[in-house]
């Protein structure tokens, strides 16, 4: 019916726009998910392992969104979470592969008190690599010395919880050898990009918040009970050490429970990143209006969403709300292959009398099937106006 096609055409534009927004968010999540899966499955345990043979190297995530990652995201992204105290800072330089120049480094040495996630030596070397690359070693070293001298030192005298994850390639400063203590002790390395301070600051005041300092100044022989999660507000928000341990264990248990489900790791990591995407771009459910003539036959389309993506599985769709029983969602696919595109329709199940009919319309991307996650922006409200 020409009138029906006109109505569904208007609504399909909104559906395609919503689909592209979902696809954009999924793409952002997918690009980072591969880097998170290994971190989410890192070794557990609280005991110290001061074995000098540990040579794992770590990196911190480079956040590119406008909002700080949640504590949940930091836990999942980290192969190692440690409670430690800073000993000293020095400047260093690393050579880029294939003659790509030199990069400045801040070397931070820590005494470890507890491994909340992962394991490692009793003394850590954390190498903070700068974002700029220099043509000469001297230029990179000067930059490293300048950055080391200008570090944020507000929290240096306190114990802190540090979030780290594996880095590649292995950290090897210029001038070191295989027997160099900075390498043999089991160095940790991370990269940090911070738009609000220096490009490689390391503090709770940065957007990354991977250094959570103790709430109170140090006391001899006393383990801090709470750690600051954001240094900007006054008073600053905190989390107790007990709650942090509990969150780490809860996430480890979630990954363990889903270990046998294909795609579970990717699903959880995508979920966490999608939640940050939602905080960066607050979502208000779309309010759609669909006109329909009174008495039109059962099976009349009131909503159309065309997917042209090469999806390995169909999206899931469902409806709710007070008038959901009067409508049904249907997937139409001429060749039965989701990878070649398909159309989703919302149809009236019987002729309807004049009035406004309200329902909610929701969809779920196949990546989120394994962990049963439905993003906030997967919902919209539809009012069918029968005249």
């Amino acid at each position: 019916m020409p009138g029906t096609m006109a109505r569904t055409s208007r609504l399909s534009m909104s559906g395609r726009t919503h689909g592209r927004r979902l696809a954009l968010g999924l793409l952002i999540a997918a690009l980072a998910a591969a880097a998170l899966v290994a971190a989410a499955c890192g070794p557990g345990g609280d005991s110290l392992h001061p074995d000098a043979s540990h040579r794992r190297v770590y990196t911190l995530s480079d956040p590119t969104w406008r909002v700080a990652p949640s504590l949940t995201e930091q836990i999942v992204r980290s192969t190692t979470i440690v409670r430690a105290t800073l000993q000293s800072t020095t400047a260093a330089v690393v050579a880029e592969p294939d003659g790509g120049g030199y990069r400045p480094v801040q070397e931070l040495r820590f005494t470890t008190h507890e491994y909340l996630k992962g394991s490692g030596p009793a003394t850590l070397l954390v190498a903070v690599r700068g974002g700029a690359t220099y043509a000469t070693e001297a230029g990179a070293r000067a930059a490293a010395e300048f950055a080391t001298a200008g570090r944020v030192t507000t929290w240096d005298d306190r114990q802190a919880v540090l979030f780290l994850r594996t880095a590649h390639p292995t950290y090897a400063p210029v001038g070191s050898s295989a027997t160099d203590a900075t390498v043999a002790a089991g160095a940790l390395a991370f990269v940090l990009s911070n738009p609000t301070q220096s490009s490689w600051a390391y503090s709770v005041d940065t957007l990354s918040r991977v250094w959570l300092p103790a709430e109170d100044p140090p006391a001899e022989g006393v383990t801090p009970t709470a750690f600051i999660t954001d240094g900007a507000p006054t008073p600053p928000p905190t989390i107790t050490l007990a709650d942090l341990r509990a969150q780490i264990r809860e996430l480890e248990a979630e990954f363990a429970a889903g270990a046998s489900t294909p795609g579970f790791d990717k699903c959880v990591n995508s979920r966490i990143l999608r939640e940050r995407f939602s905080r960066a771009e607050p979502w208000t459910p779309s309010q759609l209006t669909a006109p329909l003539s009174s008495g039109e036959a059962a099976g009349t389309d009131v909503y159309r969403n065309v997917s042209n993506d090469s999806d390995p599985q169909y999206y899931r769709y469902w409806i709710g709300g007070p008038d959901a029983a009067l409508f049904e969602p249907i997937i139409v696919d001429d060749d039965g292959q989701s990878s070649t595109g398909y159309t989703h329709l919302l149809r009236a199940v019987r002729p309807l009398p004049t009035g406004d009919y309200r329902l909610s319309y929701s969809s779920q991307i196949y990546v989120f099937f394994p962990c049963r996650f439905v993003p906030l922006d997967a919902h919209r409200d539809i009012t069918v106006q029968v005249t």
Side-chain angles (χ1 to χ4, degrees):
M1 291 178 288
T4 301
M5 291 302 294
R7 287 192 294 272
T8 58
S9 176
R10 288 196 297 272
L11 285 177
S12 68
M13 291 296 294
S14 176
R16 287 195 295 271
T17 300
H18 177 74
R20 292 192 185 102
R21 183 186 179 97
L22 285 176
L24 174 61
L26 178 59
L27 174 61
I28 294 172
L31 289 175
L36 302 182
V37 174
C41 301
D46 295 326
S47 60
L48 294 177
H49 296 272
D51 184 354
S53 65
H54 285 273
R55 296 190 182 182
R56 291 170 302 167
V57 182
Y58 297 82
T59 182
L60 176 72
S61 63
D62 180 6
T64 57
W65 294 348
R66 298 188 303 273
V67 299
S70 66
L71 188 59
T72 297
E73 181 179 342
Q74 291 289 42
I75 293 171
V76 170
R77 292 183 74 102
S78 305
T79 34
T80 298
I81 304 174
V82 63
R83 179 168 58 87
T85 301
L86 182 67
Q87 292 178 350
S88 63
T89 62
T90 56
V93 173
V94 292
E96 293 291 86
D98 301 323
Y102 300 87
R103 192 177 295 250
V105 175
Q106 297 177 47
E107 290 187 343
L108 311 180
R109 289 168 177 80
F110 292 91
T111 297
T112 59
H113 305 294
E114 176 186 9
Y115 279 87
L116 302 170
K117 182 179 181 182
S119 60
T123 300
L124 300 181
L125 169 66
V126 178
V128 188
R129 296 185 295 179
T133 300
Y134 292 80
T136 66
E137 178 186 344
R141 192 169 299 279
E145 291 172 349
F146 179 82
T148 300
R151 281 186 61 256
V152 175
T153 59
T154 306
W155 316 104
D156 282 3
D157 64 339
R158 304 186 185 190
Q159 285 192 24
V161 173
L162 313 177
F163 294 85
L164 306 164
R165 69 183 178 92
T166 304
H168 301 285
T170 300
Y171 175 68
V174 173
S176 69
S177 65
T179 59
D180 191 291
T182 59
V183 178
L188 303 178
F190 59 89
V191 178
L192 176 59
S193 176
N194 171 40
T196 59
Q197 296 182 25
S198 68
S199 61
W200 42 318
Y202 186 42
S203 169
V204 70
D205 296 310
T206 69
L207 183 63
S208 296
R209 297 172 193 167
V210 294
W211 172 312
L212 305 187
E215 179 180 21
D216 299 316
E220 187 67 27
V222 176
T223 299
T225 58
F227 292 81
I228 297 171
T229 58
D230 185 354
T234 303
T238 62
I239 184 173
T240 66
L241 188 59
D243 285 346
L244 180 57
R245 290 190 185 116
Q247 287 192 35
I248 293 172
R249 297 295 175 259
E250 182 179 347
L251 285 167
E252 288 176 340
E254 180 179 7
F255 277 97
S260 60
T261 302
F264 186 84
D265 286 1
K266 182 178 180 181
C267 182
V268 174
N269 283 292
S270 298
R271 178 194 77 194
I272 290 170
L273 289 173
R274 189 53 181 267
E275 288 169 346
R276 176 143 63 116
F277 176 78
S278 297
R279 287 186 290 121
E281 298 287 344
W283 172 259
T284 300
S286 301
Q287 306 294 318
L288 304 180
T289 300
L292 188 67
S293 298
S294 175
E296 288 207 54
T300 299
D301 298 341
V302 297
Y303 179 85
R304 176 187 296 267
N305 183 18
V306 179
S307 173
N308 295 317
D309 299 326
S310 299
D311 299 328
Q313 300 181 58
Y314 295 117
Y315 285 17
R316 291 174 180 168
Y317 301 90
W318 64 97
I319 57 177
D323 300 313
L326 302 175
F327 304 89
E328 62 178 348
I330 298 174
I331 290 177
V332 176
D333 189 349
D334 293 337
D335 61 6
Q337 300 292 327
S338 61
S339 59
T340 59
Y342 54 94
T343 301
H344 177 257
L345 301 174
L346 181 64
R347 291 175 171 171
V349 298
R350 64 176 175 81
L352 297 174
T354 301
D356 288 348
Y357 300 85
R358 303 185 185 280
L359 64 152
S360 61
Y361 168 92
S362 305
S363 61
Q364 186 185 38
I365 300 172
Y366 61 88
V367 172
F368 294 137
F369 293 174
C371 60
R372 302 179 181 179
F373 172 63
V374 181
L376 293 175
D377 57 357
H379 308 280
R380 82 286 307 273
D381 298 323
I382 297 178
T383 299
V384 180
Q385 295 179 333
V386 180
T387 57

